[in-house]
Amino acid sequence: MTDSKNTDTSPRKGIYLLPNLLTTGGLFAGFFAIVSSMNGHFEAAAVAIFVAMVFDGLDGRVARLTNTQSEFGAQYDSMSDMLSFGVAPSLVAYNWGLADLGKFGWLAAFIFVACAALRLARFNANLSVTDGRFFQGLASPAAAAIIAGMVWTGSIYEVDGDNIGYLVGLLTIVTGLLMVSNFRYHSFKDVNWRDRVSFLAILCVVLVFVVIAARPAEMLFGIFFIYACSGPVTTIRSVRKLKLEHVVGDTNDADFADELQERNDAVKVDEPDNEPRP
């Protein structure tokens, strides 16, 4: 008689605890941001979105380090990102400075939510074919950080969001559209974090943390705002001639790579020959 325990090769059922626990932490932080903004606690709401970003950065890395990746975890992470970096930032912005603007206010918030959903869907669909060094469009956590940084900075300086409602709406719309654009953003995935660095590099990292800790709201808002502006600059520099498909529409990273190679080849051809003539 064959021992069923030795011949059972069916996959084990269940859910990995640690990475999904971190994902749940991010989901809770996003929900807490929504509730806090509804109660008028905008600073706490903004901080909660940044906390969700920390959890979002940890869950995937922990899953890879512990070899606990799963399809369930990937789908659960996408659902959590939609709430934390799509719904939560838009509602925080709406409650802070868009509620008194009527249709323009809630349409601006909806544009951000819709663009976040489209960004996440496109990312999941193109995960196996995109260039890992770059993001296609502004990543949803970075877009959420811009909105959260704006609200956090305004709350610290006691700025009434209703007084700058149209500026809040414009930034919300532009940030949302950047998510569904084809602008290329550095993903920093090609950085070798295990490589050795000089003592000066470690000192610079410490100084950066000190500066951010001294003025977290302003520094985080400024860092992510500059990162959002870097996408158009990187794209324009990487193509020989800017076309509509480089900004929006159907494209892939190979198009950028091909044009970048063509430009490099053209530069080599145009370079003067410095070798001595006979």
Side-chain angles (χ1 to χ4, degrees):
M1 183 176 182
T2 305
D3 190 356
S4 59
K5 293 183 180 181
N6 296 330
T7 60
D8 187 7
T9 60
S10 60
R12 296 177 60 186
K13 296 181 179 180
I15 300 172
Y16 293 113
L17 177 61
L18 185 56
N20 290 293
L21 188 62
L22 294 172
T23 303
T24 303
L27 183 65
F28 175 80
F31 182 77
F32 180 82
I34 296 174
V35 175
S36 296
S37 68
M38 293 172 61
N39 294 325
H41 305 307
F42 296 109
E43 184 174 353
V47 172
I49 292 176
F50 283 104
V51 172
M53 291 180 60
V54 175
F55 280 111
D56 181 65
L58 288 175
D59 58 3
R61 286 168 176 79
V62 169
R64 288 188 292 270
L65 288 174
T66 58
N67 196 25
T68 53
Q69 306 100 314
S70 65
E71 182 63 24
F72 174 86
Q75 298 301 325
Y76 186 33
D77 182 66
S78 293
M79 299 299 102
S80 175
D81 289 350
M82 182 59 207
L83 177 74
S84 300
F85 309 130
V87 178
S90 64
L91 289 181
V92 170
Y94 178 82
N95 291 325
W96 186 62
L98 300 176
D100 292 340
L101 299 182
K103 289 183 178 180
F104 175 79
W106 64 261
L107 284 175
F110 172 74
I111 288 174
F112 187 92
V113 173
C115 290
L118 292 170
R119 170 68 176 79
L120 290 168
R122 183 176 66 178
F123 176 80
N124 292 335
N126 298 334
L127 188 60
S128 60
V129 297
T130 55
D131 187 350
R133 299 171 301 169
F134 297 96
F135 290 129
Q136 183 182 2
L138 183 63
S140 56
I146 294 175
I147 303 301
M150 171 186 65
V151 175
W152 192 0
T153 303
S155 300
I156 289 178
Y157 289 97
E158 298 182 352
V159 176
D160 189 353
D162 295 331
N163 295 333
I164 56 171
Y166 285 101
L167 181 61
V168 175
L170 180 62
L171 184 61
T172 302
I173 292 173
V174 172
T175 305
L177 294 177
L178 285 176
M179 284 191 285
V180 294
S181 70
N182 287 332
F183 291 134
R184 302 205 305 169
Y185 288 89
H186 285 282
S187 65
F188 303 105
K189 293 181 179 180
D190 56 342
V191 177
N192 187 4
W193 299 104
R194 299 181 180 181
D195 196 9
R196 292 178 179 270
V197 296
S198 64
F199 178 79
L200 181 60
I202 295 297
L203 181 60
C204 291
V205 171
V206 173
L207 292 177
V208 169
F209 277 108
V210 170
V211 173
I212 294 177
R215 311 288 294 186
E218 298 92 327
M219 290 301 301
L220 289 173
F221 176 63
I223 289 172
F224 283 101
F225 185 83
I226 293 173
Y227 178 70
C229 296
S230 70
V233 175
T234 301
T235 302
I236 293 173
R237 292 182 59 186
S238 63
V239 298
R240 183 169 56 184
K241 182 180 179 181
L242 188 66
K243 300 178 182 178
L244 179 62
E245 57 264 26
H246 296 143
V247 179
V248 67
D250 295 330
T251 187
N252 53 57
D253 290 330
D255 295 331
F256 292 98
D258 292 342
E259 296 200 11
L260 180 59
Q261 185 63 40
E262 290 177 3
R263 190 181 69 169
N264 292 336
D265 294 340
V267 171
K268 292 180 180 179
V269 171
D270 295 337
E271 287 180 350
D273 188 1
N274 296 325
E275 295 182 359
R277 300 291 182 182

